[in-house]
Amino acid sequence: GLSQIINMDVGVYPGTAVTGFPPGIVVGGVIMTAADPAPAPATLLAAKNDLTAAYLFAEGASSPAPVTVSGNIGGTTLAPGIYKSTSTLAINGSSVTLDAGGDANAVWIFQISSTLISTTGGSVVLAGGAQAKNIYWQVGSSATIGDNTIFYGNVLALVSITMNTNATATGRMLTQTGAVVLTSTNIITKP
């Protein structure tokens, strides 16, 4: 059956509705909208402002010098750093491995000017002590986390995020202007 489990807070601002909960379940968090009594609207506005600041920081990060990537990064292993795509970035057919080389504080920033798309078999794998909380996917339009994808990192999308059937994520799914859409049997866990 249809099920979504979110292991953190869920909120919308300036909107007034979060649909699909229930039957979706929020574990260890709350659902807030701009229509809730104070302090929810102020808390949500602060979160939205924090998202904008994080998005702009990730988009403008330049040290160390960004490495240009394009097309499908599935089947590659990437060391910590900044990776820039001037178009769509894909994780298709095989996983991308993020290898921290033993540094638990290693950070990855992906600057994607267009869309981020993963497909079945296109998961993210962590190695060498990499942590989901230190991975940022700044997406200039929308992200699609494909069927059966195991995804790590925080998606900061300008427009929207869709998680397809059986896609799971350890990270945050955050959008500035659109919706986060969960389709079927999705689990999102706070890193």
Side-chain angles (χ1 to χ4, degrees):
L2 181 67
S3 64
Q4 291 82 30
I5 300 172
I6 310 296
N7 293 303
M8 66 183 107
D9 295 338
V10 173
V12 60
Y13 187 90
T16 59
V18 175
T19 58
F21 291 86
I25 301 167
V26 175
V27 178
V30 297
I31 297 176
M32 291 184 283
T33 74
D36 289 340
T43 301
L44 291 167
L45 176 57
K48 177 128 179 138
N49 290 339
D50 288 347
L51 168 57
T52 299
Y55 181 93
L56 293 173
F57 177 84
E59 181 181 48
S62 60
S63 180
V67 174
T68 300
V69 290
S70 64
N72 180 15
I73 61 171
T76 63
T77 297
L78 302 176
I82 301 171
Y83 295 89
K84 185 173 188 70
S85 171
T86 59
S87 184
T88 295
L89 193 64
I91 309 169
N92 292 338
S94 60
S95 297
V96 60
T97 300
L98 305 181
D99 189 346
D103 179 2
N105 296 314
V107 173
W108 289 261
I109 298 175
F110 293 88
Q111 301 168 332
I112 306 163
S113 65
S114 184
T115 57
L116 169 65
I117 301 170
S118 72
T119 62
T120 298
S123 293
V124 178
V125 174
L126 303 184
Q131 296 189 62
K133 69 179 184 177
N134 296 332
I135 304 165
Y136 301 90
W137 304 84
Q138 174 264 318
V139 181
S141 61
S142 297
T144 301
I145 312 301
D147 291 352
N148 304 306
T149 295
I150 299 169
F151 191 86
Y152 290 94
N154 304 288
V155 178
L156 313 172
L158 183 60
V159 181
S160 66
I161 300 168
T162 300
M163 292 186 69
N164 288 344
T165 302
N166 296 321
T168 63
T170 299
R172 293 170 178 86
M173 299 291 132
L174 305 166
T175 65
Q176 292 192 58
T177 63
V180 176
V181 177
L182 309 177
T183 56
S184 178
T185 316
N186 303 117
I187 300 172
I188 304 174
T189 302
K190 183 177 176 180

